């Protein structure tokens, strides 16, 4: 018991596994099966494709699902909004599948976005829409009156295009008691009616018998068809016609010409006269065969009415009867087989194809979906597909007769931007037939190439003192990509020149790559500018590359030579240099006297200096080295040559135009330094002061003089104030007894006072000969603050008091201060007595100083 249960359980598992495998197979291959009855109106629902394929409606619409069209009649349509498969027209099973027990229509749904094909099979089921029918509505049979009862005579068969229970099911005979109906089942299951003679015939009793044969199908309700049969009773006929073969079989190629004779039937009758005349007719033949073949009733030859097509029918079966004049007949079967000829080229259909593909598509990307078929059979129908040329694609077999064109390697738009892929489909016939299809495919660009500069590095020469905004050079970069990805823009990389941003010196035009100078360059400041220019494309993300640019500033002759020695007059005065060179009178020709040193801030040829003697006090005495600037004696000095010589040397550069500078040298012919100093001293007076020492000495003397004048003015003011006070006091006899004698000063006192501050200053161009000498009696000629007690202090206005008529009692006082050594003088204001000598003292004491100043 347990073993039996296990066997049953194992059988169930195997059955379930088979069902699962079949379902999985159908799911993998994407096949759907539906069944609908025939004669449905247009737009009738067939099946829910979106649901059965598990496709979402938005995805179904976006991915472009559609029914493939192969040039045949389209029986179905797909609604993108609902995903339903509906009929595109009325379906007639008998027309679509004539003579076929099972009528299946196939269509294919392609989803463009996925490049997938789903096969759909729709079975058209039969309905009882056709009644049985006879090819001949009336049939005449001839029988001899000597025919024995029980004889059988084949009757014409009815046909019903319906299948199954709706097809022909039975026959009925009515009309006469002499005959009965017998229905025989053929080898192919067909029902063949036969007329059976039930009762002997008598021509004198009845020469004709009228019968009705009815054919009935099994539909609900049943449909019927009828044929009228007329039996003619003839006199005795001993022999019936006989075919030479019971079955005539012939094989003909499908390309046999029209009106060709395929075969000839032969039947003989042993009778003579009318009973021996034989005629031929089709006993059983389909309507399709009747349109293709023609039977000559007299000769029995079968000819071709139209071309054969192996793909429409590869064999034809029919029955032929031979009748004699006495009503006797014989039946033979004919089988015509059509052999295939390679007359159909393969049909190559592009079911779906991309028109554009990105160049970064991975290998194996489906580009097109092809369907190939050949209506021939055998080797003639075997199709091989191939691609023409060396292209980055390959063919891959897909579902059924489908091929996918996929990429075999990565694409590069920069190498090939468009492909015209030719696909050949060849059959196995001899000669082979083939067809082709061309796929036009454009490769879309991806930003996979950075800009490339035309040169590995750039350099340019820019003259200095250029105009602002001058074009320096233009950099060029190309991008192998296309469109926006190939649009190149330029910009400067960050940098600094002499501490300033690089962007303040140069700029680059973003679109053209033109490099402009934003300022005027000076070779002496900047001789070279190194920078980087970046080229960036318009892709996302953007790719870029850099190039080095070197700007060389070309020197212009914009700087005149600068003389370092001898220095210029201003710098010489500041440094205390006299600018005098010594040349011994005993110097030989070529002796070095001095050397002019000059530099030029320019470079190259613009800085090459040459020296020329432009002016000399004694031409021919001195010469200057052309390139060294050395001043040498051209000859020995003579006694008649002046001791002092002035030389003007011109320094020129080699620029165009040339710039120059001059240097002035003073050369003194002397044998010793003392003679040189003496010569300089003698020439100092008429010469203009050139040293800074003399200037500072003059300024110092002027400052001391100003201080001295200020002191005198202050002293004068004090004396004037006391003098006015003494004038306002009333005269008294003892008025002057308490006044110090030193408060009154005469002319001699002032002169003595000024003499105490006098000194001699002698200045020369050479500080070594300048000297200052103080007066010998400067200490003894100063006025004491108070007179000695043993001497009487003289009064300043003792004579004046007498002149004004002083009282007698004042005279003894004035006499007591009288100084016998000093003569009396007229009375003057003290400020005049002091200021007047001071104004003339400094010029008189320092005539040499004033002349130098």
């Amino acid at each position: 018991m347990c073993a039996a249960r296990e066997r049953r359980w194992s059988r169930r598992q195997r059955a379930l596994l088979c069902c699962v495998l079949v379902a999985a197979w159908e799911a993998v291959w994407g096949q759907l099966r539906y069944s609908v009855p025939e004669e449905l109106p247009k737009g009738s629902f067939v099946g829910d494709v979106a649901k059965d394929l598990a496709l979402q409606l938005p995805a179904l619409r976006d991915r472009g699902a559609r029914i493939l069209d192969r040039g045949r009649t389209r029986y179905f349509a797909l609604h993108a909004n609902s995903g339903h498969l509906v009929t595109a027209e009325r379906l007639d099973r008998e027309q679509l599948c004539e003579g076929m027990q099972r009528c299946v229509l196939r269509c294919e749904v392609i989803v463009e976005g996925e490049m997938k094909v789903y096969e759909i099979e729709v079975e058209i089921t039969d309905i009882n829409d056709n009644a049985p029918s006879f090819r001949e509505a009336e049939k005449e049979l001839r029988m001899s009156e000597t025919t024995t009862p029980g004889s059988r005579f084949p009757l014409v068969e009815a046909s019903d295009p319906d299948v199954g229970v709706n097809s022909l099911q039975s026959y009925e005979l009515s009309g006469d008691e002499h005959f009965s109906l017998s229905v025989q089942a053929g080898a192919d299951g067909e029902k063949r009616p036969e007329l059976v003679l039930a009762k002997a015939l008598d021509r004198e009793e009845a020469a004709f018998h009228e019968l009705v044969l009815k054919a009935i199908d099994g539909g609900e309700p049943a449909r019927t068809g009828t044929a009228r049969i007329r039996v003619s009773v003839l006199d005795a006929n001993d022999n019936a016609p006989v075919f030479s073969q019971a079955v005539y079989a012939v094989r003909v190629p499908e390309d046999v010409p029209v009106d060709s004779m395929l075969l000839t039937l032969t039947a003989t009758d042993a009778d003579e006269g009318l009973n021996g005349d034989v005629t031929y007719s089709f006993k059983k033949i389909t309507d399709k065969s009747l349109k293709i073949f023609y039977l000559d009733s007299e000769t029995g030859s079968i000819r071709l009415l139209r071309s054969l097509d192996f793909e429409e029918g590869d064999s034809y079966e029919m029955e032929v009867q031979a009748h004699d004049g006495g009503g006797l007949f014989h039946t033979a079967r004919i089988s015509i087989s059509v052999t295939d000829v390679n007359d159909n080229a393969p049909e190559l259909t592009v079911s779906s194809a991309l028109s554009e593909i990105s160049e970064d598509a991975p290998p194996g990307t489906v580009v097109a979906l092809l369907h190939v078929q050949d209506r021939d059979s055998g080797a003639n129908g075997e199709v091989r597909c191939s691609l023409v040329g060396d292209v980055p694609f390959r063919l891959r077999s897909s579902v059924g007769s489908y091929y996918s064109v996929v990429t075999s390697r990565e694409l590069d738009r920069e190498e090939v931007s468009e492909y015209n892929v030719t696909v050949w489909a060849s059959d196995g016939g001899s000669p082979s037939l083939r067809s082709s299809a061309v796929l036009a495919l454009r490769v879309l660009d991806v930003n996979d190439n950075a800009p490339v500069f035309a040169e590995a590095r750039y350099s340019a020469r820019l003259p200095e003192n250029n105009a602002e905004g001058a074009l320096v050079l233009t950099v060029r970069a190309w991008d192998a990509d296309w469109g926006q990805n190939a649009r190149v823009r330029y910009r400067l990389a960050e940098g600094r020149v002499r501490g300033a941003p690089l962007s303040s010196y140069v700029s680059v035009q973003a679109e053209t790559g033109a490099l402009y100078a934003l300022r005027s360059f000076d070779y002496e400041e900047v001789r070279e500018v190194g920078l980087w220019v970046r080229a960036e494309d318009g892709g996302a993300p953007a790719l870029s590359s850099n190039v080095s640019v070197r700007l060389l500033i070309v020197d212009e002759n914009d700087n005149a030579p600068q003389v370092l020695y001898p220095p210029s007059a201003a710098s010489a005065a500041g440094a205390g240099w006299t600018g005098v060179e010594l040349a011994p009178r005993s110097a030989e020709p070529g002796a070095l006297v001095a050397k002019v040193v000059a530099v030029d801030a320019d470079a190259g040829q613009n800085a090459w200096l040459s020296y020329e003697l432009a002016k000399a006090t004694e031409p021919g005495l001195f010469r200057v080295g052309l390139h060294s600037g050395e001043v040498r004696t051209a000859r020995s000095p003579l006694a008649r040559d002046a001791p002092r010589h002035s030389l003007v040397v011109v320094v020129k550069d080699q620029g165009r135009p040339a710039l120059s500078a001059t240097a002035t040298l003073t050369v003194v012919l002397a044998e010793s330094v003392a003679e040189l100093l003496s010569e300089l001293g003698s020439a100092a007076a008429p010469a203009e002061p050139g040293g800074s020492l003399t200037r500072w000495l003059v300024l110092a003397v002027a400052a001391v003089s100003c201080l001295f004048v200020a002191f005198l003015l202050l002293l004068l003011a004090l004396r004037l104030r006391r003098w006015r006070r003494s004038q306002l006091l009333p005269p008294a006899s003892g008025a002057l007894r308490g006044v110090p004698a030193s408060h009154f000063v005469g002319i001699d006192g002032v002169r003595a006072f000024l003499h105490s501050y006098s000194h001699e200053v002698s200045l020369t161009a050479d500080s070594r000969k300048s000297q200052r000498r103080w007066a010998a009696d400067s200490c003894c000629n100063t006025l004491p603050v108070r007179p000695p007690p043993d001497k009487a202090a003289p009064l300043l206005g003792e004579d004046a008091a007498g002149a004004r008529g002083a009282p007698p009692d004042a005279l003894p006082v004035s006499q007591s201060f009288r100084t016998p050594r000093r003569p009396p003088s007229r009375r003057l204001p003290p400020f005049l007595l002091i200021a007047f000598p001071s104004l003339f003292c400094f010029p008189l004491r320092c005539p040499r100083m004033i002349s130098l100043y």
Side-chain angles (χ1 to χ4, degrees), residues 650-673:
V650 176
V651 184
K652 292 183 180 181
D653 57 26
Q654 302 301 316
R656 295 183 180 180
L659 300 179
S660 62
T662 60
T664 301
L665 288 172
T666 300
V667 179
V668 175
L669 299 178
E671 292 294 338
S672 62
V673 176

Side-chain angles (χ1 to χ4, degrees), residues 252-260 262 288-289 291-293 303-314 316 338-339 343:
V252 295
E254 63 176 330
D255 59 349
V256 63
V258 177
D259 201 29
S260 297
L262 303 182
K288 179 180 179 182
S289 299
K291 297 177 181 178
I292 299 175
F293 304 103
R303 294 182 177 274
L304 192 63
L305 294 179
R306 67 178 179 85
S307 298
L308 296 174
D309 191 349
F310 177 84
E311 289 69 39
E312 293 182 0
D314 57 352
Y316 298 91
V338 181
T339 59
D343 59 344

Side-chain angles (χ1 to χ4, degrees), residues 495-502 504-505:
R496 305 187 73 84
V497 177
R498 296 176 61 86
L502 178 64
S504 64
Y505 281 84

Side-chain angles (χ1 to χ4, degrees), residues 231-244:
V231 180
S232 301
V233 181
L234 303 176
D235 289 335
N237 183 16
D238 297 331
N239 299 288
V242 178
F243 280 102
S244 60

Side-chain angles (χ1 to χ4, degrees), residues 828-852:
L828 294 174
F831 68 91
L832 292 178
L833 295 177
I834 296 174
F836 181 79
S838 65
L839 292 178
F840 291 95
C841 174
F842 186 75
L844 292 176
R845 292 287 183 180
C846 304
R848 185 176 181 84
M849 175 74 69
I850 296 302
S851 65
L852 289 175

Side-chain angles (χ1 to χ4, degrees), residues 225-483:
T226 60
R228 298 180 66 86
I229 300 175
R230 183 175 181 170
V231 180
S232 301
V233 181
L234 303 176
D235 289 335
N237 183 16
D238 297 331
N239 299 288
V242 178
F243 280 102
S244 60
Q245 299 177 22
V247 177
Y248 288 88
V250 64
R251 296 175 64 87
V252 295
E254 63 176 330
D255 59 349
V256 63
V258 177
D259 201 29
S260 297
M261 186 176 66
L262 303 182
L263 77 158
T264 300
L265 304 175
T266 302
T268 58
D269 195 320
D271 295 329
E272 295 180 359
L274 182 61
N275 293 330
D277 294 336
V278 180
T279 59
Y280 303 91
S281 65
F282 285 118
K283 176 184 179 291
K284 180 183 178 182
I285 189 171
T286 62
D287 294 337
K288 179 180 179 182
S289 299
L290 194 60
K291 297 177 181 178
I292 299 175
F293 304 103
Y294 168 74
L295 175 60
D296 190 339
S297 61
E298 298 295 332
T299 62
S301 62
I302 297 177
R303 294 182 177 274
L304 192 63
L305 294 179
R306 67 178 179 85
S307 298
L308 296 174
D309 191 349
F310 177 84
E311 289 69 39
E312 293 182 0
D314 57 352
S315 65
Y316 298 91
E317 300 288 338
M318 62 197 76
E319 291 181 359
V320 181
Q321 284 185 341
H323 298 268
D324 60 11
L328 298 179
F329 60 87
H330 189 226
T331 303
R333 189 164 61 88
I334 299 175
S335 176
I336 301 177
S337 298
V338 181
T339 59
D340 184 43
V341 175
N342 191 24
D343 59 344
N344 292 284
E347 297 178 3
L348 186 59
T349 306
V350 180
S351 301
S352 179
L354 299 178
S355 60
E356 298 175 342
I357 184 173
S358 178
E359 65 175 326
D360 61 348
T365 302
V366 179
V367 174
L369 194 62
L370 307 177
H371 181 267
V372 60
Q373 65 177 1
D374 196 318
R375 299 179 62 191
D376 296 325
S377 62
N380 297 330
E382 295 178 358
V383 182
R384 298 181 301 273
C385 294
S386 61
L387 298 178
V388 178
D390 183 17
V391 291
F393 304 97
R394 61 183 176 88
L395 286 172
R396 184 175 64 190
S397 180
S398 186
V399 180
S401 301
Y402 283 92
Y403 288 88
S404 298
V405 180
V406 299
T407 57
S408 60
R409 62 175 185 268
E410 293 183 354
L411 304 178
D412 191 352
R413 191 207 66 84
E414 290 69 42
E415 291 183 1
V416 181
S417 61
E418 291 184 357
Y419 289 94
N420 289 321
V421 183
T422 302
V423 183
W424 283 105
S426 305
D427 60 21
S430 179
S432 176
L433 300 179
R434 64 179 183 176
S435 59
S436 63
V438 178
L439 304 175
L441 189 63
R442 185 163 64 92
V443 183
L444 298 180
D445 183 55
V446 174
N447 190 28
D448 56 347
N449 291 279
V452 177
F453 284 93
E455 300 180 17
R457 61 184 57 86
Y458 288 86
S459 63
R461 300 173 65 86
L462 179 65
E464 67 172 332
N465 303 320
N466 58 283
E468 296 182 0
L471 176 64
V472 179
L473 81 160
T474 300
V475 296
R476 288 288 186 183
W478 284 269
D479 197 310
D481 294 322
W482 182 80

